[in-house]
Amino acid sequence: MNEEGSGTTPAETARAEAKAFFRDGEPLLEVCEDWGDSYRILEEDGKVLIQGGKTGILYGVWQRILDCLCKRRSSAERRSPRCALRMLQCWDNMDGTIERGYSGPSLWFEKGTVSFDPARLRMLGRLLSSVGINVLCVNNVNVREPAQGLIEEKLPELRSLADLFRPYGIRLMVSVDFSQPIRAGLADADPLNEETARWWQRTTDRVYEAIPDLAGYLVKADSEHRPGPFTYGRSHAEGANMLARALRPHGGQLVWRAFVYNCMQDWRDDQTDRPAAAYQTYAPLDGQFDDNVVLQVKHGPFDFQVREPVSPLLFGMPQTRLGMEVQLAQEYTGQQIDLYYMAPMWEEVCRDLGEKRPTILAAVSNLGRDACLTGDPLAMANLFAFGRFAWYNEARPKESAEEWARLTYGFTPAEEEKLVSALLGSRRVYEKYTSPLGLCWMVNPGVHYGPSPDGYEYQSWGTYHRADRNAVGIDRTKTGTGYLLQYPPALQERYGTLERCPEEYLLFFHRVAYDKVLRDGRTLIQRIYDDHFEGCAEAEKMAAELETLPFPGEEKPLILDRLSRQISNAREWRDVINTFFHRLSGADDGMGRTIYP
Ligand code: GCV
């Protein structure tokens, strides 16, 4: 991307981008005041007219550019985004580190201050707006000093970021600390204390004087030791509404995360079931949140595992504005070393949600200061696909992978086919060598990369598979923890019996004996062995295919390095997990392959 095209309003940016890209054959642009993010592209007698709202006009220009690069006609339909809020949430700390970041340091924080290369951030603004992102939350949800200052003494620094992204139709959001009034000298942060509410109102008024179009606040409360309303015996509706009311006069949104569970569980306690926690906390509060609150729910009930069923909370609060959170940062899914294209996961979740498909989406960012922005250049496919998924109802994983590959590399059709099929198969391959059949949490604790079958088994995080010499998995049906009952009846039916439960979720919902014969005729233990052997072999094959592709000079070494690390990782997973189950079960592999004693 070059630097041309940065205007002061999105419409000016749209004009500059169109001029720079189309040069002589510039399309006509017409701003329709009340169209918002919508646009329409009309082609007649060789002339092109793009009509769009104040931000929609920019999306229209990006789409026209994309259509031209993909050598296809533009649709004449008026297009509106599926999601009004298409948020990228960055877990950047002000010391420059990124929680769960795999792409180098923060692009805008360094040594406790806001510090950035304006040209690079303008490039980023173009990139994000070109995929349709319209909200950027700049700091970690775990708000630690000095990030609290972003809405106080460091407000001018926050403003410099907002000014920079505004021309691209991107509004800033900031993560705030629920206990922040205490930092300012108040006795407590009780949401029902009028002093607390007044403090937030004053502070928020000042924030909006500096940044009138701030999208709002993001809050992680009472989660993993963060402060929250529970300290004062208040509900999360009371906590969220107090903040939402400070934002309301300014049109701001309060995004409240529903990632609440007991992270101090005793592993001996088999009654507390972490996946059930969010629903237990929030479903009773349905209808109590103000209408500028968004309750942001992770797509699965655990925490971005390789495969999880859809979170039941996404069905359970019809009177609440719900947003769904996905994670582009590959915390549990290969850390931007192993290839893992995520769009098929989102499609699967939305398929199960049916008409409850969310219209507010947030993604945890996978960006950093690395030259290619995403550590692994191929991880950019996830950001692209997320933007398309949030904007276009009909965006499909395959289509997004093809578009991204075409726009990025301009390969021959055969080469493009290889890349797209690697992307589309990558999730299943990763799942097979790490955690097939709904196994979760066999990662190394803390870092979350590489195998450690018992690493989380005797810890306080509620993360158990409870493998013993006879069986593995947790019964979450009504004969077990009862978690299944949080789902609507159709999903209870689907997940509730061994016969019907999709195999990918088997050990998530059921406790199964190793010698149980599964639907495909193999025993559970044989499936565990087979999946790990196959996943590893498939990773090797995929790497061999990708190595033949003519990636650009600066990317090739990065990609090759990651492919070879992926193969080592896959072999380690295969051997560690198979050996773990072999030792426990005493069952030999029916194929006589090497399992280390
Ligand atoms: C930002 C997981 C991650 C944490 C993260 C947390 C969250 O537990 O490991 O790093 O904290 O999710 O989503 O809040």
Side-chain angles (χ1 to χ4, degrees), residues 71-83:
K71 301 193 175 36
R72 63 183 184 213
R73 275 184 77 82
S74 300
S75 152
E77 240 179 84
R78 177 168 162 184
R79 312 301 313 266
S80 303
R82 176 159 75 84
C83 297

Side-chain angles (χ1 to χ4, degrees), residues 91 99-100 141-142 220 224 257 259 298 303 331:
W91 290 353
E99 184 153 347
R100 311 302 175 190
V141 287
N142 292 324
K220 172 175 177 177
E224 300 185 332
R257 293 176 87 231
F259 184 53
K298 290 192 182 187
D303 186 11
E331 178 177 358

Side-chain angles (χ1 to χ4, degrees), residues 91 99-100 102 140-142 144 220 223-224 226 257 259 261 274 298 302-304 325 327 331-332 364 441 446 448 456 461:
W91 290 353
E99 184 153 347
R100 311 302 175 190
Y102 311 105
N140 191 355
V141 287
N142 292 324
R144 300 188 192 94
K220 172 175 177 177
S223 165
E224 300 185 332
R226 303 317 299 159
R257 293 176 87 231
F259 184 53
Y261 67 98
R274 172 167 164 184
K298 290 192 182 187
F302 258 140
D303 186 11
F304 303 133
E325 179 177 335
Q327 191 187 38
E331 178 177 358
Y332 295 95
V364 179
W441 300 109
H448 301 166
Y456 270 117
W461 301 93

Side-chain angles (χ1 to χ4, degrees), residues 123-139:
M123 182 274 281
L124 182 69
R126 296 180 71 216
L127 188 149
L128 296 181
S129 92
S130 74
V131 300
I133 305 269
N134 66 350
V135 175
L136 181 68
C137 185
V138 291
N139 63 312

Side-chain angles (χ1 to χ4, degrees), residues 1-8 13 17 58 62 107-108 116-130 136 160-170 373:
M1 286 207 175
N2 60 35
E3 256 202 76
E4 289 162 306
S6 45
T8 50
T13 305
E17 292 292 349
L58 184 54
W62 291 129
L107 280 151
W108 44 76
F116 55 83
D117 168 357
R120 195 144 167 77
L121 285 205
R122 277 198 289 276
M123 182 274 281
L124 182 69
R126 296 180 71 216
L127 188 149
L128 296 181
S129 92
S130 74
L136 181 68
S160 68
L161 279 173
D163 291 346
L164 206 140
F165 285 106
R166 187 171 296 114
Y168 306 98
I170 296 168
L373 292 168

Side-chain angles (χ1 to χ4, degrees), residues 156-221:
E157 298 179 40
L158 187 68
R159 179 189 171 154
S160 68
L161 279 173
D163 291 346
L164 206 140
F165 285 106
R166 187 171 296 114
Y168 306 98
I170 296 168
R171 296 157 72 203
L172 243 51
M173 181 169 275
V174 60
S175 297
V176 299
D177 171 3
F178 193 79
S179 68
Q180 186 139 344
I182 298 173
R183 175 187 191 255
L186 267 67
D188 61 51
D190 181 350
L192 298 195
N193 177 348
E194 283 177 13
E195 262 304 291
T196 307
R198 271 200 294 274
W199 183 87
W200 277 108
Q201 188 64 68
R202 276 196 312 276
T203 304
T204 305
D205 292 346
R206 276 198 298 271
V207 170
Y208 275 85
E209 256 167 52
I211 310 172
D213 59 351
L214 188 86
Y217 295 155
L218 172 63
V219 185
K220 172 175 177 177

Side-chain angles (χ1 to χ4, degrees), residues 29 33 64 88 139 209 251 260 296 329 336 355 449 517:
L29 305 190
E33 290 294 314
R64 178 67 187 162
L88 192 69
N139 63 312
E209 256 167 52
V260 170
Q296 182 172 296
Q336 282 134 259
E355 58 194 36
Y449 188 77
V517 177

Side-chain angles (χ1 to χ4, degrees), residues 32-86:
C32 310
E33 290 294 314
D34 55 352
W35 280 29
D37 279 355
S38 307
Y39 69 84
R40 178 162 70 179
I41 304 174
L42 300 170
E43 287 181 75
E44 234 180 71
D45 305 330
K47 289 209 166 40
V48 179
L49 168 68
I50 304 179
Q51 298 173 309
K54 288 181 192 160
T55 40
I57 194 79
L58 184 54
Y59 299 122
V61 167
W62 291 129
Q63 182 62 35
R64 178 67 187 162
I65 291 176
L66 189 144
D67 290 335
C68 289
L69 290 170
C70 291
K71 301 193 175 36
R72 63 183 184 213
R73 275 184 77 82
S74 300
S75 152
E77 240 179 84
R78 177 168 162 184
R79 312 301 313 266
S80 303
R82 176 159 75 84
C83 297
L85 294 176
R86 305 175 295 279

